[in-house]
Amino acid sequence: MKQLFGTFGVRRVANTVLTPEFASKIAAAYGTKVTGTIAIGADPRTSSEMIKHAVTAGLLSVGCDVVDLGTLPTPAVQYAVRQYYDGGIMITASHNPPKYNGLKLLDKDGIGTPDDLEEEIEDIYFNDKQERVTWDKIGKVYKRNIIDEYIDQVLQRVDVDAIKDANLKVVLDCGSGAACSTTPYIIRKLGCELTTLNCQPDGSFPGRNPEPTEDNLHDLMDVVKATGADIGIAHDGDADRTICIDENGDFVFGDKSFALVEKAMLEKNNGGTIVTTVATSNAIRDIALENNGDIILTRVGDLVVARKLQEVNGLFGGEENGGLIFPDFVYGRDSGLATAMILEIMAKTKKPLSTLISELPTYYSQKRKVPCPDDKKPLVTKGIINDTTEYELDTTDGVKVITDEGWVIIRPSGTEPIYRCFSEAKTMEDATKLADWGMSLIEKYI
Ligand code: MG
């Protein structure tokens, strides 16, 4: 059982738990296992520079060379590692508030480190088994700009001329996060008229909270409407998630933009394998079936989806939170290509975003959660399975009960003492009924 690592690396309050000493020891433990040349990057948090120096020292002390890529999105680091390096560490707390920071550790393919490697790193950390080298074997530090190459690689994957011809008006809200160094330049190179919000990197996140939820994006919605823009685009703190606002200023849920890009990817490639999680909308399955695609459903988590895409040589994948994965580019959620792809779809179809979204299969969903002590979780899951045997069940992650009306998935959180309950159906009434039923099953066994 892991003590330090969550679903993607370590995340803690900076300089109280995540001190330079802590970061350096973790980095040295990582470098002891991974060895070789390690790329590092950071988001613009106030603590990132301090932690980056500590991580660098830890890596050098076990003989790794370090390539400092600067302040840039997580997917740009993942791209660089896959192309050129033996591993990578991104210093970021993703969408969490400014006082947090964290370490996203990457394997040689640029995917977040697997559980067994993280357990080994923890063992080295807790038992001080870092293999410090002698004075003459200490590593060296290099600097490299990978941002221009990353941007160029994004542009190579879309029809730049078609997007330029469409003269799209875009409002971009980077939330003062890592996307400031990439997405504004991508959108300009695509010939769009660009208005920026929060596109100066600032670790105090003065404009908005770094999580791109509907509540945090009201300024963006207002500016899209006020400027008559075709689309608003927002990212989270480390720029691996992309959320859209349509031309009416309405928030587009992540599963909708996921479905839109899925459809375009399948049409472009004449089919392919789509990977997503059991908690994602049936719209993803419907689009795959209609467009010569196969679908694989995994446990919840972007790393699980990325690994499965690599294993099956899949075409495209993602999650309902605005994380889109293009495995021929980056084995992780990417924001640069997601942005360019959405603009390409709008340019080529010549349709407003709201129309494109309205043409997708419609489902209604409900998302709930309830507190549950960790030690009760196995009993709750077992009880729910026993109560639902008359239905079609999928136990890939928690229990997904599939009925004639839709489905409800009931699953314990891996990081918090709560149970989550998501439902989906063709009508809101059925989605609500399924969610009520799911909640009653959890409460029966708590
Ligand atoms: Mg993120």
Side-chain angles (χ1 to χ4, degrees), residues 11 74 92-95 104 236-241 333:
R11 223 169 278 180
T74 296
T92 180
S94 191
H95 60 270
K104 285 185 171 180
D236 70 327
D238 69 329
D240 57 357
R241 284 163 58 186
R333 306 184 293 199

Side-chain angles (χ1 to χ4, degrees), residues 130-191:
Q130 292 89 344
E131 291 171 12
R132 311 284 186 189
V133 296
T134 53
W135 66 272
D136 54 337
K137 304 274 189 327
I138 292 168
K140 293 183 176 61
V141 183
Y142 305 88
K143 280 193 190 293
R144 179 168 182 180
N145 172 9
I146 200 76
I147 290 172
D148 294 341
E149 181 178 324
Y150 168 83
I151 291 173
D152 194 50
Q153 288 291 324
V154 167
L155 298 176
Q156 280 183 30
R157 288 171 164 78
V158 292
D159 187 340
V160 175
D161 291 335
I163 303 172
K164 280 184 176 167
D165 287 346
N167 292 316
L168 295 166
K169 273 181 92 169
V170 181
V171 184
L172 172 66
D173 180 350
C174 289
S176 300
C180 295
S181 61
T182 52
T183 309
Y185 303 96
I186 291 169
I187 293 174
R188 285 225 176 89
K189 283 176 190 263
L190 292 170

Side-chain angles (χ1 to χ4, degrees), residues 187-200:
I187 293 174
R188 285 225 176 89
K189 283 176 190 263
L190 292 170
C192 302
E193 187 184 326
L194 175 63
T195 304
T196 57
L197 283 183
N198 305 314
C199 285
Q200 306 84 0

Side-chain angles (χ1 to χ4, degrees), residues 91-362:
I91 294 141
T92 180
S94 191
H95 60 270
N96 291 121
K99 69 178 179 181
Y100 288 88
N101 213 326
L103 307 175
K104 285 185 171 180
L105 306 182
L106 306 173
D107 71 7
K108 65 177 180 14
D109 297 313
I111 309 181
T113 41
D115 289 339
D116 53 348
L117 179 55
E118 291 183 345
E119 278 166 21
E120 290 179 89
I121 293 169
E122 288 199 359
D123 176 52
I124 296 170
Y125 174 89
F126 285 114
N127 297 296
D128 281 326
K129 293 198 282 194
Q130 292 89 344
E131 291 171 12
R132 311 284 186 189
V133 296
T134 53
W135 66 272
D136 54 337
K137 304 274 189 327
I138 292 168
K140 293 183 176 61
V141 183
Y142 305 88
K143 280 193 190 293
R144 179 168 182 180
N145 172 9
I146 200 76
I147 290 172
D148 294 341
E149 181 178 324
Y150 168 83
I151 291 173
D152 194 50
Q153 288 291 324
V154 167
L155 298 176
Q156 280 183 30
R157 288 171 164 78
V158 292
D159 187 340
V160 175
D161 291 335
I163 303 172
K164 280 184 176 167
D165 287 346
N167 292 316
L168 295 166
K169 273 181 92 169
V170 181
V171 184
L172 172 66
D173 180 350
C174 289
S176 300
C180 295
S181 61
T182 52
T183 309
Y185 303 96
I186 291 169
I187 293 174
R188 285 225 176 89
K189 283 176 190 263
L190 292 170
C192 302
E193 187 184 326
L194 175 63
T195 304
T196 57
L197 283 183
N198 305 314
C199 285
Q200 306 84 0
D202 187 331
S204 63
F205 301 110
R208 67 163 166 90
N209 178 296
E211 184 163 22
T213 58
E214 191 169 0
D215 276 350
N216 292 334
L217 297 179
H218 287 291
D219 288 349
L220 176 61
M221 296 180 205
D222 291 345
V223 175
V224 167
K225 267 198 284 193
T227 58
D230 297 297
I231 184 172
I233 291 168
H235 299 304
D236 70 327
D238 69 329
D240 57 357
R241 284 163 58 186
T242 306
I243 284 292
C244 299
I245 305 298
D246 74 15
E247 75 285 0
N248 303 314
D250 289 329
F251 185 87
V252 177
F253 284 93
D255 56 353
K256 297 284 184 186
S257 40
F258 178 16
L260 186 65
V261 177
E262 178 201 12
K263 194 167 162 229
M265 287 292 286
L266 287 166
E267 284 169 359
K268 222 180 191 179
N269 294 279
N270 195 22
T273 300
I274 305 296
V275 180
T276 188
T277 77
V278 282
T280 306
S281 172
N282 275 0
I284 302 301
R285 178 205 63 188
D286 296 354
I287 289 169
L289 297 179
E290 280 164 22
N291 294 277
N292 199 23
D294 307 312
I295 186 135
I296 297 176
L297 301 179
T298 68
R299 282 189 294 119
V300 172
D302 53 318
L303 299 193
V304 185
V305 175
R307 281 197 188 285
K308 182 56 84 175
L309 281 164
Q310 183 191 37
E311 182 191 320
V312 302
N313 195 21
L315 175 69
F316 177 64
E319 296 173 296
E320 87 299 338
N321 62 6
L324 306 184
I325 304 175
F326 303 89
D328 91 306
F329 181 40
V330 171
Y331 284 126
R333 306 184 293 199
D334 179 68
S335 55
L337 187 51
T339 299
M341 279 290 302
I342 291 163
L343 295 174
E344 184 186 60
I345 294 165
M346 292 172 66
K348 287 197 160 173
T349 58
K350 299 185 170 62
K351 290 180 183 173
L353 185 56
S354 66
T355 307
L356 290 166
I357 298 299
S358 70
E359 290 170 356
L360 297 168
T362 304

